[in-house]
PDB file of all heavy atoms in Angstrom:
ATOM      1  N   GLY A 179     -10.104-104.700  47.486  1.00  0.00           N
ATOM      2  CA  GLY A 179     -10.652-103.781  48.476  1.00  0.00           C
ATOM      3  C   GLY A 179     -11.566-104.483  49.449  1.00  0.00           C
ATOM      4  O   GLY A 179     -11.908-105.656  49.299  1.00  0.00           O
ATOM      5  N   VAL A 180     -11.965-103.742  50.480  1.00  0.00           N
ATOM      6  CA  VAL A 180     -12.907-104.244  51.470  1.00  0.00           C
ATOM      7  C   VAL A 180     -13.743-103.066  51.940  1.00  0.00           C
ATOM      8  O   VAL A 180     -13.241-101.945  52.087  1.00  0.00           O
ATOM      9  CB  VAL A 180     -12.171-104.909  52.655  1.00  0.00           C
ATOM     10  CG1 VAL A 180     -11.226-103.932  53.345  1.00  0.00           C
ATOM     11  CG2 VAL A 180     -13.164-105.514  53.649  1.00  0.00           C
ATOM     12  N   GLY A 181     -15.030-103.300  52.121  1.00  0.00           N
ATOM     13  CA  GLY A 181     -15.881-102.189  52.523  1.00  0.00           C
ATOM     14  C   GLY A 181     -17.208-102.646  53.077  1.00  0.00           C
ATOM     15  O   GLY A 181     -17.510-103.840  53.142  1.00  0.00           O
ATOM     16  N   SER A 182     -18.000-101.665  53.481  1.00  0.00           N
ATOM     17  CA  SER A 182     -19.290-101.959  54.077  1.00  0.00           C
ATOM     18  C   SER A 182     -20.259-100.823  53.786  1.00  0.00           C
ATOM     19  O   SER A 182     -19.864 -99.744  53.339  1.00  0.00           O
ATOM     20  CB  SER A 182     -19.142-102.143  55.595  1.00  0.00           C
ATOM     21  OG  SER A 182     -20.327-102.653  56.152  1.00  0.00           O
ATOM     22  N   SER A 183     -21.536-101.082  54.034  1.00  0.00           N
ATOM     23  CA  SER A 183     -22.566-100.090  53.786  1.00  0.00           C
ATOM     24  C   SER A 183     -23.594-100.122  54.913  1.00  0.00           C
ATOM     25  O   SER A 183     -24.116-101.185  55.255  1.00  0.00           O
ATOM     26  CB  SER A 183     -23.260-100.359  52.439  1.00  0.00           C
ATOM     27  OG  SER A 183     -24.300 -99.428  52.223  1.00  0.00           O
ATOM     28  N   ILE A 184     -23.860 -98.963  55.482  1.00  0.00           N
ATOM     29  CA  ILE A 184     -24.916 -98.829  56.486  1.00  0.00           C
ATOM     30  C   ILE A 184     -26.213 -98.490  55.765  1.00  0.00           C
ATOM     31  O   ILE A 184     -26.274 -97.503  55.027  1.00  0.00           O
ATOM     32  CB  ILE A 184     -24.584 -97.732  57.508  1.00  0.00           C
ATOM     33  CG1 ILE A 184     -23.333 -98.091  58.311  1.00  0.00           C
ATOM     34  CG2 ILE A 184     -25.767 -97.493  58.451  1.00  0.00           C
ATOM     35  CD1 ILE A 184     -22.867 -96.989  59.249  1.00  0.00           C
ATOM     36  N   GLY A 185     -27.238 -99.307  55.957  1.00  0.00           N
ATOM     37  CA  GLY A 185     -28.557 -98.991  55.414  1.00  0.00           C
ATOM     38  C   GLY A 185     -29.257 -98.028  56.356  1.00  0.00           C
ATOM     39  O   GLY A 185     -29.881 -98.441  57.342  1.00  0.00           O
ATOM     40  N   LEU A 186     -29.129 -96.743  56.076  1.00  0.00           N
ATOM     41  CA  LEU A 186     -29.577 -95.717  57.016  1.00  0.00           C
ATOM     42  C   LEU A 186     -31.057 -95.843  57.350  1.00  0.00           C
ATOM     43  O   LEU A 186     -31.449 -95.733  58.509  1.00  0.00           O
ATOM     44  CB  LEU A 186     -29.281 -94.328  56.444  1.00  0.00           C
ATOM     45  CG  LEU A 186     -29.652 -93.156  57.364  1.00  0.00           C
ATOM     46  CD1 LEU A 186     -28.721 -93.104  58.562  1.00  0.00           C
ATOM     47  CD2 LEU A 186     -29.601 -91.838  56.605  1.00  0.00           C
ATOM     48  N   ASP A 187     -31.896 -96.064  56.341  1.00  0.00           N
ATOM     49  CA  ASP A 187     -33.338 -96.077  56.578  1.00  0.00           C
ATOM     50  C   ASP A 187     -33.765 -97.267  57.430  1.00  0.00           C
ATOM     51  O   ASP A 187     -34.618 -97.137  58.307  1.00  0.00           O
ATOM     52  CB  ASP A 187     -34.077 -96.071  55.237  1.00  0.00           C
ATOM     53  CG  ASP A 187     -33.753 -94.822  54.432  1.00  0.00           C
ATOM     54  OD1 ASP A 187     -34.414 -93.795  54.643  1.00  0.00           O
ATOM     55  OD2 ASP A 187     -32.816 -94.863  53.620  1.00  0.00           O
ATOM     56  N   ARG A 188     -33.172 -98.431  57.169  1.00  0.00           N
ATOM     57  CA  ARG A 188     -33.475 -99.590  58.003  1.00  0.00           C
ATOM     58  C   ARG A 188     -32.970 -99.373  59.420  1.00  0.00           C
ATOM     59  O   ARG A 188     -33.648 -99.726  60.394  1.00  0.00           O
ATOM     60  CB  ARG A 188     -32.862-100.846  57.402  1.00  0.00           C
ATOM     61  CG  ARG A 188     -33.168-102.095  58.217  1.00  0.00           C
ATOM     62  CD  ARG A 188     -32.606-103.348  57.584  1.00  0.00           C
ATOM     63  NE  ARG A 188     -33.275-103.673  56.335  1.00  0.00           N
ATOM     64  CZ  ARG A 188     -33.096-104.815  55.683  1.00  0.00           C
ATOM     65  NH1 ARG A 188     -32.280-105.725  56.165  1.00  0.00           N
ATOM     66  NH2 ARG A 188     -33.732-105.044  54.557  1.00  0.00           N
ATOM     67  N   LEU A 189     -31.787 -98.782  59.549  1.00  0.00           N
ATOM     68  CA  LEU A 189     -31.236 -98.504  60.876  1.00  0.00           C
ATOM     69  C   LEU A 189     -32.137 -97.542  61.641  1.00  0.00           C
ATOM     70  O   LEU A 189     -32.442 -97.757  62.817  1.00  0.00           O
ATOM     71  CB  LEU A 189     -29.829 -97.918  60.737  1.00  0.00           C
ATOM     72  CG  LEU A 189     -29.138 -97.484  62.032  1.00  0.00           C
ATOM     73  CD1 LEU A 189     -28.989 -98.653  62.993  1.00  0.00           C
ATOM     74  CD2 LEU A 189     -27.776 -96.866  61.736  1.00  0.00           C
ATOM     75  N   ILE A 190     -32.594 -96.477  60.962  1.00  0.00           N
ATOM     76  CA  ILE A 190     -33.477 -95.510  61.615  1.00  0.00           C
ATOM     77  C   ILE A 190     -34.783 -96.166  62.028  1.00  0.00           C
ATOM     78  O   ILE A 190     -35.297 -95.923  63.131  1.00  0.00           O
ATOM     79  CB  ILE A 190     -33.727 -94.302  60.681  1.00  0.00           C
ATOM     80  CG1 ILE A 190     -32.474 -93.428  60.617  1.00  0.00           C
ATOM     81  CG2 ILE A 190     -34.922 -93.474  61.164  1.00  0.00           C
ATOM     82  CD1 ILE A 190     -32.576 -92.271  59.650  1.00  0.00           C
ATOM     83  N   ALA A 191     -35.349 -97.021  61.165  1.00  0.00           N
ATOM     84  CA  ALA A 191     -36.579 -97.727  61.512  1.00  0.00           C
ATOM     85  C   ALA A 191     -36.381 -98.560  62.776  1.00  0.00           C
ATOM     86  O   ALA A 191     -37.250 -98.608  63.658  1.00  0.00           O
ATOM     87  CB  ALA A 191     -37.029 -98.610  60.352  1.00  0.00           C
ATOM     88  N   GLY A 192     -35.214 -99.194  62.886  1.00  0.00           N
ATOM     89  CA  GLY A 192     -34.916 -99.988  64.072  1.00  0.00           C
ATOM     90  C   GLY A 192     -34.758 -99.133  65.308  1.00  0.00           C
ATOM     91  O   GLY A 192     -35.312 -99.450  66.375  1.00  0.00           O
ATOM     92  N   LEU A 193     -34.035 -98.033  65.192  1.00  0.00           N
ATOM     93  CA  LEU A 193     -33.818 -97.153  66.338  1.00  0.00           C
ATOM     94  C   LEU A 193     -35.126 -96.511  66.796  1.00  0.00           C
ATOM     95  O   LEU A 193     -35.348 -96.313  67.994  1.00  0.00           O
ATOM     96  CB  LEU A 193     -32.793 -96.070  65.979  1.00  0.00           C
ATOM     97  CG  LEU A 193     -31.372 -96.566  65.683  1.00  0.00           C
ATOM     98  CD1 LEU A 193     -30.470 -95.397  65.297  1.00  0.00           C
ATOM     99  CD2 LEU A 193     -30.788 -97.313  66.881  1.00  0.00           C
ATOM    100  N   GLU A 194     -36.008 -96.190  65.837  1.00  0.00           N
ATOM    101  CA  GLU A 194     -37.314 -95.643  66.206  1.00  0.00           C
ATOM    102  C   GLU A 194     -38.147 -96.673  66.949  1.00  0.00           C
ATOM    103  O   GLU A 194     -38.817 -96.356  67.942  1.00  0.00           O
ATOM    104  CB  GLU A 194     -38.052 -95.166  64.949  1.00  0.00           C
ATOM    105  CG  GLU A 194     -37.486 -93.885  64.360  1.00  0.00           C
ATOM    106  CD  GLU A 194     -38.147 -93.500  63.044  1.00  0.00           C
ATOM    107  OE1 GLU A 194     -38.810 -94.362  62.424  1.00  0.00           O
ATOM    108  OE2 GLU A 194     -37.976 -92.328  62.627  1.00  0.00           O
ATOM    109  N   SER A 195     -38.110 -97.927  66.495  1.00  0.00           N
ATOM    110  CA  SER A 195     -38.848 -98.996  67.168  1.00  0.00           C
ATOM    111  C   SER A 195     -38.359 -99.198  68.601  1.00  0.00           C
ATOM    112  O   SER A 195     -39.130 -99.548  69.496  1.00  0.00           O
ATOM    113  CB  SER A 195     -38.717-100.306  66.393  1.00  0.00           C
ATOM    114  OG  SER A 195     -39.311-100.220  65.119  1.00  0.00           O
ATOM    115  N   LEU A 196     -37.075 -98.975  68.801  1.00  0.00           N
ATOM    116  CA  LEU A 196     -36.486 -99.149  70.130  1.00  0.00           C
ATOM    117  C   LEU A 196     -36.594 -97.901  71.000  1.00  0.00           C
ATOM    118  O   LEU A 196     -36.129 -97.889  72.139  1.00  0.00           O
ATOM    119  CB  LEU A 196     -35.009 -99.547  69.985  1.00  0.00           C
ATOM    120  CG  LEU A 196     -34.744-100.894  69.314  1.00  0.00           C
ATOM    121  CD1 LEU A 196     -33.255-101.071  69.037  1.00  0.00           C
ATOM    122  CD2 LEU A 196     -35.280-102.035  70.173  1.00  0.00           C
ATOM    123  N   GLY A 197     -37.195 -96.838  70.448  1.00  0.00           N
ATOM    124  CA  GLY A 197     -37.356 -95.605  71.209  1.00  0.00           C
ATOM    125  C   GLY A 197     -36.083 -94.813  71.377  1.00  0.00           C
ATOM    126  O   GLY A 197     -35.978 -93.972  72.277  1.00  0.00           O
ATOM    127  N   LYS A 198     -35.094 -95.060  70.505  1.00  0.00           N
ATOM    128  CA  LYS A 198     -33.813 -94.361  70.613  1.00  0.00           C
ATOM    129  C   LYS A 198     -33.790 -93.066  69.810  1.00  0.00           C
ATOM    130  O   LYS A 198     -32.837 -92.286  69.909  1.00  0.00           O
ATOM    131  CB  LYS A 198     -32.676 -95.285  70.167  1.00  0.00           C
ATOM    132  CG  LYS A 198     -32.488 -96.504  71.068  1.00  0.00           C
ATOM    133  CD  LYS A 198     -31.347 -97.383  70.590  1.00  0.00           C
ATOM    134  CE  LYS A 198     -31.191 -98.627  71.450  1.00  0.00           C
ATOM    135  NZ  LYS A 198     -30.725 -98.306  72.818  1.00  0.00           N
ATOM    136  N   LEU A 199     -34.813 -92.846  68.973  1.00  0.00           N
ATOM    137  CA  LEU A 199     -34.950 -91.597  68.237  1.00  0.00           C
ATOM    138  C   LEU A 199     -36.314 -91.003  68.565  1.00  0.00           C
ATOM    139  O   LEU A 199     -37.335 -91.660  68.383  1.00  0.00           O
ATOM    140  CB  LEU A 199     -34.840 -91.833  66.721  1.00  0.00           C
ATOM    141  CG  LEU A 199     -33.499 -92.311  66.183  1.00  0.00           C
ATOM    142  CD1 LEU A 199     -33.582 -92.496  64.677  1.00  0.00           C
ATOM    143  CD2 LEU A 199     -32.383 -91.335  66.524  1.00  0.00           C
ATOM    144  N   LYS A 200     -36.339 -89.778  69.020  1.00  0.00           N
ATOM    145  CA  LYS A 200     -37.586 -89.187  69.478  1.00  0.00           C
ATOM    146  C   LYS A 200     -38.092 -88.069  68.555  1.00  0.00           C
ATOM    147  O   LYS A 200     -39.240 -87.671  68.627  1.00  0.00           O
ATOM    148  CB  LYS A 200     -37.417 -88.643  70.902  1.00  0.00           C
ATOM    149  CG  LYS A 200     -36.960 -89.722  71.883  1.00  0.00           C
ATOM    150  CD  LYS A 200     -36.974 -89.233  73.304  1.00  0.00           C
ATOM    151  CE  LYS A 200     -36.460 -90.302  74.256  1.00  0.00           C
ATOM    152  NZ  LYS A 200     -37.243 -91.527  74.240  1.00  0.00           N
ATOM    153  N   GLY A 201     -37.272 -87.570  67.681  1.00  0.00           N
ATOM    154  CA  GLY A 201     -37.700 -86.511  66.773  1.00  0.00           C
ATOM    155  C   GLY A 201     -37.582 -85.133  67.421  1.00  0.00           C
ATOM    156  O   GLY A 201     -37.892 -84.954  68.598  1.00  0.00           O
ATOM    157  N   ARG A 202     -37.110 -84.174  66.646  1.00  0.00           N
ATOM    158  CA  ARG A 202     -36.976 -82.794  67.125  1.00  0.00           C
ATOM    159  C   ARG A 202     -37.521 -81.862  66.068  1.00  0.00           C
ATOM    160  O   ARG A 202     -37.333 -82.069  64.878  1.00  0.00           O
ATOM    161  CB  ARG A 202     -35.502 -82.466  67.380  1.00  0.00           C
ATOM    162  CG  ARG A 202     -34.932 -83.131  68.609  1.00  0.00           C
ATOM    163  CD  ARG A 202     -33.436 -82.985  68.698  1.00  0.00           C
ATOM    164  NE  ARG A 202     -32.987 -81.613  68.515  1.00  0.00           N
ATOM    165  CZ  ARG A 202     -31.726 -81.227  68.710  1.00  0.00           C
ATOM    166  NH1 ARG A 202     -30.824 -82.103  69.091  1.00  0.00           N
ATOM    167  NH2 ARG A 202     -31.372 -79.979  68.531  1.00  0.00           N
ATOM    168  N   GLY A 203     -38.222 -80.828  66.510  1.00  0.00           N
ATOM    169  CA  GLY A 203     -38.826 -79.898  65.571  1.00  0.00           C
ATOM    170  C   GLY A 203     -37.953 -78.727  65.201  1.00  0.00           C
ATOM    171  O   GLY A 203     -38.326 -77.912  64.348  1.00  0.00           O
ATOM    172  N   SER A 204     -36.790 -78.598  65.840  1.00  0.00           N
ATOM    173  CA  SER A 204     -35.928 -77.450  65.565  1.00  0.00           C
ATOM    174  C   SER A 204     -34.513 -77.754  66.023  1.00  0.00           C
ATOM    175  O   SER A 204     -34.295 -78.541  66.953  1.00  0.00           O
ATOM    176  CB  SER A 204     -36.452 -76.205  66.296  1.00  0.00           C
ATOM    177  OG  SER A 204     -35.566 -75.113  66.144  1.00  0.00           O
ATOM    178  N   TYR A 205     -33.550 -77.122  65.376  1.00  0.00           N
ATOM    179  CA  TYR A 205     -32.172 -77.168  65.849  1.00  0.00           C
ATOM    180  C   TYR A 205     -31.946 -76.148  66.969  1.00  0.00           C
ATOM    181  O   TYR A 205     -30.978 -76.232  67.710  1.00  0.00           O
ATOM    182  CB  TYR A 205     -31.203 -76.837  64.715  1.00  0.00           C
ATOM    183  CG  TYR A 205     -30.992 -77.957  63.720  1.00  0.00           C
ATOM    184  CD1 TYR A 205     -31.525 -77.885  62.439  1.00  0.00           C
ATOM    185  CD2 TYR A 205     -30.232 -79.077  64.044  1.00  0.00           C
ATOM    186  CE1 TYR A 205     -31.315 -78.901  61.511  1.00  0.00           C
ATOM    187  CE2 TYR A 205     -30.020 -80.103  63.136  1.00  0.00           C
ATOM    188  CZ  TYR A 205     -30.567 -80.005  61.866  1.00  0.00           C
ATOM    189  OH  TYR A 205     -30.363 -81.011  60.958  1.00  0.00           O
ATOM    190  N   ALA A 206     -32.835 -75.164  67.066  1.00  0.00           N
ATOM    191  CA  ALA A 206     -32.652 -74.076  68.021  1.00  0.00           C
ATOM    192  C   ALA A 206     -32.812 -74.571  69.449  1.00  0.00           C
ATOM    193  O   ALA A 206     -33.693 -75.375  69.752  1.00  0.00           O
ATOM    194  CB  ALA A 206     -33.645 -72.958  67.744  1.00  0.00           C
ATOM    195  N   ARG A 207     -31.969 -74.093  70.322  1.00  0.00           N
ATOM    196  CA  ARG A 207     -32.054 -74.410  71.747  1.00  0.00           C
ATOM    197  C   ARG A 207     -32.673 -73.261  72.543  1.00  0.00           C
ATOM    198  O   ARG A 207     -32.995 -73.437  73.718  1.00  0.00           O
ATOM    199  CB  ARG A 207     -30.677 -74.731  72.311  1.00  0.00           C
ATOM    200  CG  ARG A 207     -29.988 -75.915  71.639  1.00  0.00           C
ATOM    201  CD  ARG A 207     -30.665 -77.258  71.956  1.00  0.00           C
ATOM    202  NE  ARG A 207     -31.853 -77.510  71.150  1.00  0.00           N
ATOM    203  CZ  ARG A 207     -32.811 -78.365  71.472  1.00  0.00           C
ATOM    204  NH1 ARG A 207     -32.759 -79.009  72.597  1.00  0.00           N
ATOM    205  NH2 ARG A 207     -33.864 -78.521  70.670  1.00  0.00           N
ATOM    206  N   ALA A 208     -32.798 -72.122  71.902  1.00  0.00           N
ATOM    207  CA  ALA A 208     -33.435 -70.976  72.550  1.00  0.00           C
ATOM    208  C   ALA A 208     -34.166 -70.167  71.491  1.00  0.00           C
ATOM    209  O   ALA A 208     -33.818 -70.206  70.312  1.00  0.00           O
ATOM    210  CB  ALA A 208     -32.402 -70.102  73.267  1.00  0.00           C
ATOM    211  N   ALA A 209     -35.212 -69.454  71.915  1.00  0.00           N
ATOM    212  CA  ALA A 209     -35.967 -68.576  71.013  1.00  0.00           C
ATOM    213  C   ALA A 209     -36.118 -67.213  71.668  1.00  0.00           C
ATOM    214  O   ALA A 209     -36.186 -67.099  72.902  1.00  0.00           O
ATOM    215  CB  ALA A 209     -37.331 -69.170  70.698  1.00  0.00           C
ATOM    216  N   VAL A 210     -36.149 -66.168  70.853  1.00  0.00           N
ATOM    217  CA  VAL A 210     -36.379 -64.808  71.338  1.00  0.00           C
ATOM    218  C   VAL A 210     -37.808 -64.417  70.976  1.00  0.00           C
ATOM    219  O   VAL A 210     -38.192 -64.462  69.801  1.00  0.00           O
ATOM    220  CB  VAL A 210     -35.392 -63.804  70.721  1.00  0.00           C
ATOM    221  CG1 VAL A 210     -35.652 -62.401  71.271  1.00  0.00           C
ATOM    222  CG2 VAL A 210     -33.949 -64.225  71.007  1.00  0.00           C
ATOM    223  N   ALA A 211     -38.609 -64.074  71.985  1.00  0.00           N
ATOM    224  CA  ALA A 211     -40.004 -63.729  71.755  1.00  0.00           C
ATOM    225  C   ALA A 211     -40.114 -62.378  71.038  1.00  0.00           C
ATOM    226  O   ALA A 211     -39.259 -61.503  71.185  1.00  0.00           O
ATOM    227  CB  ALA A 211     -40.752 -63.679  73.079  1.00  0.00           C
ATOM    228  N   CYS A 212     -41.183 -62.244  70.255  1.00  0.00           N
ATOM    229  CA  CYS A 212     -41.462 -60.978  69.580  1.00  0.00           C
ATOM    230  C   CYS A 212     -42.496 -60.213  70.405  1.00  0.00           C
ATOM    231  O   CYS A 212     -43.678 -60.575  70.431  1.00  0.00           O
ATOM    232  CB  CYS A 212     -41.995 -61.240  68.165  1.00  0.00           C
ATOM    233  SG  CYS A 212     -42.387 -59.732  67.253  1.00  0.00           S
ATOM    234  N   ILE A 213     -42.047 -59.172  71.113  1.00  0.00           N
ATOM    235  CA  ILE A 213     -42.951 -58.364  71.923  1.00  0.00           C
ATOM    236  C   ILE A 213     -43.524 -57.225  71.084  1.00  0.00           C
ATOM    237  O   ILE A 213     -44.723 -56.973  71.088  1.00  0.00           O
ATOM    238  CB  ILE A 213     -42.220 -57.792  73.153  1.00  0.00           C
ATOM    239  CG1 ILE A 213     -41.584 -58.941  73.967  1.00  0.00           C
ATOM    240  CG2 ILE A 213     -43.176 -56.978  74.020  1.00  0.00           C
ATOM    241  CD1 ILE A 213     -42.572 -59.963  74.472  1.00  0.00           C
ATOM    242  N   ARG A 214     -42.646 -56.553  70.349  1.00  0.00           N
ATOM    243  CA  ARG A 214     -43.068 -55.491  69.420  1.00  0.00           C
ATOM    244  C   ARG A 214     -42.315 -55.680  68.113  1.00  0.00           C
ATOM    245  O   ARG A 214     -41.094 -55.836  68.109  1.00  0.00           O
ATOM    246  CB  ARG A 214     -42.773 -54.111  70.006  1.00  0.00           C
ATOM    247  CG  ARG A 214     -43.664 -53.718  71.182  1.00  0.00           C
ATOM    248  CD  ARG A 214     -43.248 -52.377  71.760  1.00  0.00           C
ATOM    249  NE  ARG A 214     -41.889 -52.451  72.323  1.00  0.00           N
ATOM    250  CZ  ARG A 214     -41.640 -52.857  73.568  1.00  0.00           C
ATOM    251  NH1 ARG A 214     -42.635 -53.206  74.370  1.00  0.00           N
ATOM    252  NH2 ARG A 214     -40.399 -52.898  74.007  1.00  0.00           N
ATOM    253  N   GLU A 215     -43.038 -55.654  67.028  1.00  0.00           N
ATOM    254  CA  GLU A 215     -42.408 -55.893  65.735  1.00  0.00           C
ATOM    255  C   GLU A 215     -41.307 -54.884  65.452  1.00  0.00           C
ATOM    256  O   GLU A 215     -40.276 -55.223  64.863  1.00  0.00           O
ATOM    257  CB  GLU A 215     -43.466 -55.853  64.624  1.00  0.00           C
ATOM    258  CG  GLU A 215     -42.910 -56.236  63.248  1.00  0.00           C
ATOM    259  CD  GLU A 215     -43.975 -56.254  62.168  1.00  0.00           C
ATOM    260  OE1 GLU A 215     -45.172 -56.135  62.515  1.00  0.00           O
ATOM    261  OE2 GLU A 215     -43.599 -56.387  60.980  1.00  0.00           O
ATOM    262  N   GLU A 216     -41.498 -53.641  65.910  1.00  0.00           N
ATOM    263  CA  GLU A 216     -40.505 -52.614  65.632  1.00  0.00           C
ATOM    264  C   GLU A 216     -39.187 -52.849  66.385  1.00  0.00           C
ATOM    265  O   GLU A 216     -38.172 -52.200  66.095  1.00  0.00           O
ATOM    266  CB  GLU A 216     -41.049 -51.213  65.974  1.00  0.00           C
ATOM    267  CG  GLU A 216     -41.487 -51.027  67.411  1.00  0.00           C
ATOM    268  CD  GLU A 216     -42.973 -51.300  67.616  1.00  0.00           C
ATOM    269  OE1 GLU A 216     -43.543 -52.100  66.838  1.00  0.00           O
ATOM    270  OE2 GLU A 216     -43.554 -50.688  68.535  1.00  0.00           O
ATOM    271  N   ASP A 217     -39.188 -53.747  67.354  1.00  0.00           N
ATOM    272  CA  ASP A 217     -37.965 -54.084  68.088  1.00  0.00           C
ATOM    273  C   ASP A 217     -37.251 -55.305  67.487  1.00  0.00           C
ATOM    274  O   ASP A 217     -36.401 -55.923  68.137  1.00  0.00           O
ATOM    275  CB  ASP A 217     -38.289 -54.368  69.559  1.00  0.00           C
ATOM    276  CG  ASP A 217     -38.745 -53.117  70.299  1.00  0.00           C
ATOM    277  OD1 ASP A 217     -38.395 -52.007  69.839  1.00  0.00           O
ATOM    278  OD2 ASP A 217     -39.454 -53.253  71.312  1.00  0.00           O
ATOM    279  N   GLY A 218     -37.609 -55.633  66.251  1.00  0.00           N
ATOM    280  CA  GLY A 218     -37.030 -56.808  65.604  1.00  0.00           C
ATOM    281  C   GLY A 218     -35.521 -56.763  65.510  1.00  0.00           C
ATOM    282  O   GLY A 218     -34.850 -57.793  65.628  1.00  0.00           O
ATOM    283  N   GLY A 219     -34.966 -55.593  65.304  1.00  0.00           N
ATOM    284  CA  GLY A 219     -33.511 -55.465  65.219  1.00  0.00           C
ATOM    285  C   GLY A 219     -32.845 -55.800  66.534  1.00  0.00           C
ATOM    286  O   GLY A 219     -31.789 -56.460  66.572  1.00  0.00           O
TER     287      GLY A 219
END
């Protein structure tokens, strides 16, 4: 056989050092504001 392994953590450390990963706090691209709790539905 033949194969390879990506060291994810080392790769991420490198990409972060190069500014290629910026971090995101959410997967959401939009949010709906809560004006009145009773309008939650």
Side-chain angles (χ1 to χ4, degrees):
V180 59
S182 190
S183 178
I184 296 174
L186 182 70
D187 299 274
R188 181 178 292 190
L189 176 60
I190 287 176
L193 295 178
E194 287 175 343
S195 296
L196 296 171
K198 295 180 182 292
L199 294 180
K200 303 188 182 300
R202 287 170 50 172
S204 175
Y205 284 108
R207 300 291 80 200
V210 181
C212 179
I213 304 300
R214 289 176 296 274
E215 186 177 351
E216 58 267 27
D217 292 337

